[in-house]
Amino acid sequence: MHIWVDADSFPAQAKKTLLKAAKRREIPLTFVANRIIPFTVESPLFTMQVCPNNPGAADDFIAENAAPGDLVATRDIPLAKRLVQKGVTTINDRGIEFDRENVDTMLKERELSMQWANLGISTGGRKSSYGNKEAHDFACCMDRVLERLEKL
C-alpha cells in the first residue's frame, strides 16, 4: 500500500492528518505537486514528487503510478474519476470516498456549474471553507479506508 496526495491544493490540516496516520501505520506516502510542499511530520517513508509546471502533470503522475490497494487523496474530481476507473481507492478532503456513481454525479455537477458560471448565472457556490467539521470527516473517512486497505 502507498498513499498518494495530490498536494497542490489539498488543505494543510488534511495533509498533516495523512502524514500522522502514514507514520503511525508505517505506510509510504508521496506528495505530488508542481512545487515543493514541506512535510510537517518527518519520516523516511515520505517523499515529494515535483512535477513539471504543465497543466495536469501532477494528476498524470498520480494516475500512472497509483495502483489498486493504494490510497489517493485529491480534491480533483476528473482525477478521481480516472483513479476509480482504474480501481484505486480515492478520497477527498471532506471525507468522501469516491465511487463510480458519486464521482460521475460530482463531475456532472461540476460541469453544469462551470457552464452556468460561463453564462453569468450564480449558483450560490459551494462552501469553500475548511474547518473542524471537514477535518474530522476527512480523518474518519481516511481511518476507515486505511483499515479496509490494510486487510487486503
Side-chain angles (χ1 to χ4, degrees):
M1 177 188 336
H2 195 105
I3 299 172
W4 302 91
V5 183
D6 184 7
D8 279 324
S9 67
F10 215 72
Q13 193 172 357
K15 285 187 271 198
K16 188 174 184 179
T17 300
L18 280 164
L19 289 165
K20 286 181 178 179
K23 185 174 184 177
R24 183 177 67 248
R25 295 170 187 256
E26 298 182 346
I27 301 170
L29 178 145
T30 302
F31 280 168
V32 182
N34 296 334
R35 59 187 168 84
I36 294 175
I37 307 286
F39 294 114
T40 57
V41 177
E42 294 297 323
S43 170
L45 294 170
F46 302 161
T47 57
M48 176 70 225
Q49 176 64 45
V50 178
C51 296
N53 199 14
N54 302 330
D59 295 352
D60 291 344
F61 183 88
I62 293 170
E64 291 166 11
N65 289 281
D70 290 349
L71 172 62
V72 174
T74 184
R75 299 174 75 189
D76 186 301
I77 300 168
L79 173 60
K81 181 173 174 92
R82 291 169 67 186
L83 294 164
V84 166
Q85 289 174 331
K86 191 177 169 181
V88 178
T89 302
T90 308
I91 63 175
N92 73 6
D93 62 320
R94 296 181 181 268
I96 296 173
E97 182 176 357
F98 293 101
D99 60 36
R100 290 187 186 275
E101 289 181 29
N102 70 11
V103 77
D104 283 338
T105 299
M106 289 180 201
L107 197 54
K108 288 174 186 172
E109 289 171 353
R110 176 182 174 269
E111 290 170 3
L112 185 59
S113 289
M114 289 170 52
Q115 289 174 0
W116 286 359
N118 287 338
L119 295 172
I121 301 170
S122 174
T123 62
R126 178 181 125 187
K127 183 180 175 187
S128 62
S129 66
Y130 193 84
N132 291 335
K133 181 194 180 317
E134 292 80 12
H136 173 76
D137 292 347
F138 172 74
C140 290
C141 176
M142 179 205 61
D143 282 336
R144 184 176 60 250
V145 168
L146 287 174
E147 284 178 25
R148 186 180 76 229
L149 289 173
E150 286 178 322
K151 292 177 183 177
L152 294 178

